């Protein structure tokens, strides 16, 4: 199993209001990173309801991540049987790697 195939918990707080906190879990880190991209795409659709299709640059996605009040991942580590926390910078780095590998496949 690669590090990207570990159970991952997404913790997100879009605004500074404590009641905006939510979490979701994913079978793999890759699914979670794709989930973050989907959250951003839903946000864009709400901002631009009349557009048929939406395209964006990775810099727009990173700006969105940076504007979130809090975003972190807890990734299960099989060796220690604990969850390892990761911050926004780690998340952006992994999203960039993921998108780059998807682009290379196409």
């Amino acid at each position: 199993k690669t590090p990207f195939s570990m159970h991952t918990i997404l913790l997100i707080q879009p605004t500074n209001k404590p009641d905006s906190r939510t979490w979701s879990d994913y079978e793999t880190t890759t699914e979670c990173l794709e989930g973050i991209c989907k959250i951003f795409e839903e946000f864009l659709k709400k901002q631009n309801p009349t557009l048929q299709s939406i395209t964006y640059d990775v810099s727009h996605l990173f700006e969105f991540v940076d504007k979130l009040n809090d975003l972190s991942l807890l990734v299960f580590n099989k060796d220690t049987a604990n969850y390892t926390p990761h911050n926004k910078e780690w998340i952006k780095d992994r999203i960039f790697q993921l998108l780059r590998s998807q682009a290379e496949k196409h």
Side-chain angles (χ1 to χ4, degrees), residues 68-81:
L68 294 171
N69 198 62
D70 192 18
L71 179 72
S72 48
L73 300 186
L74 298 173
V75 179
F76 188 72
N77 182 329
K78 203 172 57 193
D79 299 331
T80 62

Side-chain angles (χ1 to χ4, degrees), residues 46-85:
K46 283 184 180 139
Q47 300 290 310
N48 306 284
T50 57
L51 291 181
Q52 291 298 314
S53 68
I54 292 175
T55 57
Y56 61 90
D57 190 274
V58 71
S59 64
H60 300 127
L61 175 59
F62 289 173
E63 192 178 309
F64 173 77
V65 166
D66 288 336
K67 285 182 179 171
L68 294 171
N69 198 62
D70 192 18
L71 179 72
S72 48
L73 300 186
L74 298 173
V75 179
F76 188 72
N77 182 329
K78 203 172 57 193
D79 299 331
T80 62
N82 287 316
Y83 283 86
T84 305

Side-chain angles (χ1 to χ4, degrees), residues 2-96:
T2 66
F4 277 18
S5 65
M6 296 297 173
H7 184 257
T8 303
I9 300 169
L10 168 67
L11 304 171
I12 187 167
Q13 183 178 345
T15 69
N16 60 3
K17 295 182 181 134
D19 67 353
S20 73
R21 286 184 200 139
T22 60
W23 67 274
S24 47
D25 73 316
Y26 298 84
E27 289 300 310
T28 68
T29 305
T30 299
E31 284 177 21
C32 182
L33 297 171
E34 290 169 347
I36 293 168
C37 294
K38 283 186 178 62
I39 289 168
F40 176 59
E41 289 162 11
E42 289 304 315
F43 169 79
L44 289 177
K45 284 179 192 170
K46 283 184 180 139
Q47 300 290 310
N48 306 284
T50 57
L51 291 181
Q52 291 298 314
S53 68
I54 292 175
T55 57
Y56 61 90
D57 190 274
V58 71
S59 64
H60 300 127
L61 175 59
F62 289 173
E63 192 178 309
F64 173 77
V65 166
D66 288 336
K67 285 182 179 171
L68 294 171
N69 198 62
D70 192 18
L71 179 72
S72 48
L73 300 186
L74 298 173
V75 179
F76 188 72
N77 182 329
K78 203 172 57 193
D79 299 331
T80 62
N82 287 316
Y83 283 86
T84 305
H86 295 288
N87 64 14
K88 288 179 180 181
E89 290 309 310
W90 186 92
I91 293 167
K92 290 191 295 188
D93 181 57
R94 292 310 185 284
I95 287 175
F96 184 76

